[in-house]
Amino acid sequence: MGRFDGKTAIITGGARGQGRSHALRLAGEGANIAILDIADQVESVAYPMATPEDLAATERDLKDLGADVLAIQCDVRDQAAVEAAVAATEERFGAIDIVLANAGIMASYGEKSQEMAAWHDSVDTMLNGVYFLMRAVTPGLIERGRGGAICITGSTSSFRGVAYKPEMLNPGQMGYGAAKHGVLALMKNFAMVLGKHGVRVNTVIPAGVSTTMIDNDFFSRDLAGDAPGGWMANVMERGPVEPEEITHAVAWLCSDEARFVTGQALAVDMGTLLI
Ligand SMILES: NC(=O)c1ccc[n+]([C@@H]2O[C@H](COP(=O)([O-])OP(=O)(O)OC[C@H]3O[C@@H](n4cnc5c(N)ncnc54)[C@H](O)[C@@H]3O)[C@@H](O)[C@H]2O)c1
């Protein structure tokens, strides 16, 4: 008996990193899974993004866990594509119960970070893309009347600034912070309306997580390289955690154990926001 037996989860950015980890956990606990990922490069992003091979590998691994899986190459910046992916998921599985708006980019470093495209890509992916998904799943969640859980992936950048030098006020970095702050407004409003329908809306707030987004030379050189002492420090005095640590919180937020938890931003940040 799994916590998510008979449920269907739709997960953006599911090809790798945290999205993949969430998908594997939910599948391991009984869910059918739709993973959506751009599986392509966005020009303003300096580090390599997920590939079609990553998406296929995650699909295979999910199937190996016994899950029924739909893997869709989908750019969350494209509203019509998100709507089509949601419709395909509902048609295939009959319902959507769990929604993880997780896809993200960090266009904060590298040459392209100073171009306005980096702002647009960041906001389009992490604010517009989250809204497109939430808007597309809402009618079905209400009509089916069987409740549900939405979990957005925020960031400690949902609450604080991280810039410490003029170069960091670049369009990529500012777009990241603006989008991550913005999703809290989406969470609060959707939580207020969907609560009486048994649909809960929460946000997980990771600090550093060991994924390609921060495990790359650009991050180490341009952001962390000349950072002042204490930059992004946390009270537990440790570095990035593995994606599975964030998955523990996401799985709990989406489970019946959290049945009365809604409108919350749950920080799994080792106390970063205390400083
Ligand atoms: N890694 C960290 O330190 C950290 C910290 C706080 C928050 N986050 C957030 O966690 C989430 C997951 O990131 P991650 O750490 O797993 O990084 P990641 O780069 O490994 O994974 C992000 C995934 O999103 C996909 N994606 C990007 N743009 C997309 C688009 N337009 N449409 C569909 N898919 C798209 C990528 O292809 C990739 O598979 C992001 O929202 C990120 O902002 C990460």
Side-chain angles (χ1 to χ4, degrees), residues 102-264:
N102 162 84
I105 57 172
M106 191 170 272
S108 316
Y109 36 73
E111 274 167 45
K112 300 277 167 81
S113 64
Q114 300 292 346
E115 295 177 10
M116 279 314 293
W119 165 275
H120 292 296
D121 288 336
S122 301
V123 172
D124 285 353
T125 303
M126 293 176 288
L127 184 58
N128 298 2
V130 172
Y131 181 51
F132 295 156
L133 180 67
M134 292 171 77
R135 190 167 160 78
V137 295
T138 291
L141 284 167
I142 292 175
E143 274 158 31
R144 287 186 295 273
R146 54 191 248 178
I150 299 174
C151 183
I152 304 166
T153 302
S155 162
T156 48
S157 293
S158 297
F159 291 97
R160 64 181 291 187
V162 296
Y164 61 83
K165 56 184 176 182
E167 296 78 18
M168 281 179 78
L169 302 175
N170 64 61
Q173 183 70 41
M174 293 304 96
Y176 191 91
K180 292 299 187 185
H181 270 71
V183 293
L184 298 181
L186 297 178
M187 171 187 77
K188 289 170 189 169
N189 284 285
F190 275 75
M192 287 176 74
V193 170
L194 295 181
K196 69 169 178 234
H197 300 282
V199 179
R200 302 175 298 99
V201 188
N202 293 292
T203 306
V204 70
I205 305 291
V209 186
S210 291
T211 65
T212 313
M213 182 176 282
I214 65 166
D215 291 341
N216 65 68
D217 292 345
F218 300 98
F219 185 91
S220 315
R221 189 193 61 205
D222 296 348
L223 291 194
D226 50 359
W231 183 69
M232 303 281 263
N234 61 70
V235 301
M236 301 183 83
E237 299 184 351
R238 59 154 296 158
V241 299
E242 294 305 314
E244 291 73 21
E245 303 295 341
I246 311 305
T247 298
H248 294 315
V250 170
W252 178 74
L253 282 171
C254 294
S255 76
D256 283 348
E257 292 154 30
R259 65 173 70 85
F260 297 120
V261 179
T262 194
Q264 296 301 307

